[in-house]
Amino acid sequence: MVFRCALLPLILTLVACGGYPRDPDGTLDRVHSQHVFRVGLIASGGGPDAERFIKRIADVTHARPEIRHGGTEPLLLDLERGALDLVIGELADDSPWRDRVTIIEPLAERGTQKQPILLNPIARNGENAWIMLLEREARNSGGPKP
Amino acid sequence: MRHRGHPAAIRQDMARAVRLEWWNVGWTISIIIVMGITMGGSQAMKTAWVEDTLGLIPPLVFLIASHFEARPSTKRFHFGFHRVNSLGFLVAAVALATVGLLLLWDSAMTLIAGENVTVSSVRFLGHDIWLGWFMLAAQAYSIIPPLIIGRKELPIAERLRDKLLHTDALMNRANWLTGAAGIAGIAGLGMGWWWADSAAAAFISLGIISDGVKSLRVATAELVDGVPRALDSDDLSDEAALIAKALRAHFPKTRILLRETGRYIRAEVIGAHAPKNFDADSFDIPGLECRWRLESIAFHPPGKP
């Protein structure tokens, strides 16, 4: 009981101060303070949908994208260890990477209905504030066209 | 020997306990649904959900056991069904210990792997809301029923000498503590402390494992005809000690054996003939308030093994 009574004001204080949830590794804070975010574009992931999304993120964070191109594995490994903030690319629905990184809502879709291939922004696990921002912008972009 | 129904002295409390356990089942199912809807990808929420589901086992087993216990003995079950309660107690003890071990395993694995947990957001009425808020609300809801029901169960379990009901009270305690740890964990997660969830859960799991192991020891002792144990520990029951003392005083130079079948104590006097017109119900046992606990006194005449 005492525990809950103590917790409630703590949560309210946090909400009042803003910045909740926060990133364990401070991605969003760093993007805001350094005005740069590091993007990895998987070979098949370029194109107008990805470009529009990167521009959106640049506009809302007032930061400039630093874009690298590469293969799926090297870019996702870099994302996982924090050397990239965002990867955009196509992943299969049952890709084993889905547990190791956070897949944001798709920007575009191709492939068959049974085995769709989705163009997703991908973020590092646990960076919840940064992930929330990416999710919001992916939703605002309208998602895959039917 | 009483082999039909519950003794009059405990009938009211039994009815109360059965009512309470039906409430327990209903609330637990509602918690399982709410937690299931909000858990998303969070491993901590999934573990809490599995625990809430395991929390259904003790009340269900109690309801089944209390139904059987009241049945009369049959041609195939000469001693009636008192021991269904003992069996239920073992099942509940296993469930409790499993909850503790599951919680410890899950949190230790997360801590060792250093896993950062993603809690994403949903769009609701045009607003992007962090799923952590829904998880916090679900966890807060999951705390209230077990906190209230567990507290109500304890005094009834004590009066009924019901170790199964007592274990369910411990399970309810485990569930609300896990909920509290979950709240701390998700709130910590929002602060960017990825380890908060697992650290809180690991800490709480130790207490649950200790309760579960203690219950397992007592349940096993009961099923292998050990001497009657106290309700909440592996110590010998005070009532069993009083019965043994009275029998020893009345039948010196005999061996007194005691065992427990469910909530009842059965005594055997080895090396004595039963006195003429002996009535176990009126045999004087100084200090024993709950006479209903003594189910029977059997006699083994001298010279027989």
Side-chain angles (χ1 to χ4, degrees):
Chain A
M1 224 42 161
V2 176
F3 182 70
R4 273 185 292 156
C5 293
L7 205 64
L8 191 65
L10 173 75
I11 293 172
L12 290 177
T13 315
L14 282 169
V15 177
C17 296
Y20 195 83
R22 280 158 61 177
D23 297 329
D25 221 36
T27 301
L28 186 59
D29 287 344
R30 186 171 36 75
V31 171
H32 277 146
S33 62
Q34 297 181 4
H35 303 288
V36 172
F37 62 104
R38 301 158 301 172
V39 185
L41 274 181
I42 294 176
S44 63
D49 290 310
E51 275 168 26
R52 265 197 299 274
F53 184 71
I54 294 169
K55 185 170 181 319
R56 260 179 188 284
I57 303 297
D59 288 346
V60 292
T61 54
H62 306 293
R64 149 182 80 76
E66 222 175 62
I67 300 177
R68 258 209 285 149
H69 294 264
T72 310
E73 296 276 322
L75 289 182
L76 288 179
L77 284 170
D78 273 353
L79 178 75
E80 201 177 32
R81 66 182 176 86
L84 284 173
D85 302 316
L86 168 67
V87 168
I88 300 181
E90 290 177 321
L91 279 189
D93 222 15
D94 53 357
S95 163
W97 276 100
R98 285 184 180 268
D99 287 335
R100 289 175 59 175
V101 290
T102 300
I103 316 283
I104 315 280
E105 274 131 279
L107 306 169
E109 183 181 336
R110 67 182 178 94
T112 60
Q113 204 171 16
K114 243 185 174 180
Q115 268 192 317
I117 298 174
L118 303 166
L119 178 70
N120 295 97
I122 306 162
R124 191 176 169 203
N125 269 351
E127 298 296 286
N128 290 317
W130 173 241
I131 288 168
M132 250 188 99
L133 182 137
L134 296 176
E135 283 175 332
R136 190 183 67 214
E137 294 312 317
R139 284 170 197 143
N140 287 344
S141 76
K145 310 284 177 292
Chain B
M1 284 202 186
R2 300 175 211 99
H3 283 157
R4 188 180 288 274
H6 299 294
I10 64 167
R11 241 170 254 160
Q12 219 179 351
D13 274 332
M14 275 308 285
R16 210 171 283 156
V18 167
R19 248 193 333 267
L20 201 56
E21 289 297 41
W22 276 116
W23 277 108
N24 195 357
V25 170
W27 282 110
T28 307
I29 289 175
S30 81
I31 290 170
I32 290 169
I33 294 170
V34 170
M35 296 282 284
I37 292 169
T38 54
M39 69 181 170
S42 156
Q43 189 56 42
M45 288 288 285
K46 270 183 202 160
T47 310
W49 184 81
V50 172
E51 278 161 28
D52 288 326
T53 311
L54 285 173
L56 265 182
I57 292 175
L60 286 178
V61 170
F62 178 85
L63 289 170
I64 295 168
S66 66
H67 173 73
F68 271 98
E69 199 186 313
R71 279 195 179 178
S73 50
T74 67
K75 272 185 186 170
R76 290 164 70 91
F77 292 90
H78 294 179
F79 293 93
F81 295 89
H82 291 167
R83 278 203 146 165
V84 180
N85 180 278
S86 317
L87 187 60
F89 176 32
L90 181 72
V91 173
V94 170
L96 184 64
T98 308
V99 162
L101 289 172
L102 184 73
L103 193 60
L104 182 64
W105 171 261
D106 181 65
S107 43
M109 284 299 115
T110 311
L111 282 177
I112 290 167
E115 268 172 31
N116 288 11
V117 180
T118 296
V119 176
S120 51
S121 64
V122 284
R123 182 156 285 190
F124 185 67
L125 300 174
H127 294 275
D128 293 285
I129 302 168
W130 188 50
L131 269 176
W133 295 119
F134 292 104
M135 291 179 183
L136 284 171
Q139 291 275 24
Y141 173 67
S142 81
I143 282 180
I144 300 161
L147 187 68
I148 295 172
I149 292 171
R151 286 196 179 185
K152 278 179 179 273
E153 277 172 344
L154 274 179
I156 303 177
E158 233 156 79
R159 289 201 295 274
L160 289 175
R161 311 294 192 276
D162 198 311
K163 293 178 180 130
L164 170 51
L165 193 63
H166 186 263
T167 308
D168 187 35
L170 292 180
M171 180 65 105
N172 276 316
R173 185 167 166 271
N175 277 342
W176 79 256
L177 279 173
T178 312
I183 289 186
I186 293 164
L189 210 70
M191 288 292 293
W193 304 328
W194 64 269
W195 45 264
D197 199 9
S198 306
F203 180 67
I204 276 168
S205 73
L206 299 179
I208 301 172
I209 292 172
S210 149
D211 281 346
V213 169
K214 210 188 304 169
S215 299
L216 263 177
R217 285 179 65 184
V218 178
T220 313
E222 196 175 315
L223 282 172
V224 296
D225 282 342
V227 177
R229 304 295 206 268
L231 190 64
D232 55 354
S233 73
D234 201 26
D235 298 340
L236 300 190
S237 138
D238 291 341
E239 284 163 333
L242 288 172
I243 294 169
K245 193 175 162 198
L247 284 171
R248 253 181 226 121
H250 209 84
F251 302 100
K253 293 184 184 164
T254 59
R255 273 176 71 208
I256 309 297
L257 306 184
L258 295 175
R259 65 194 173 107
E260 207 168 10
T261 54
R263 73 191 79 246
Y264 304 100
I265 296 174
R266 292 170 190 253
E268 290 180 27
V269 182
I270 309 287
H273 287 279
K276 259 189 185 162
N277 301 327
F278 181 79
D279 176 21
D281 286 340
S282 54
F283 175 70
D284 184 38
I285 302 171
L288 183 69
E289 282 171 21
C290 296
R291 278 304 296 222
W292 61 265
R293 270 214 94 186
L294 179 61
E295 153 64 34
S296 63
I297 302 174
F299 290 88
H300 290 258
K304 288 192 178 176

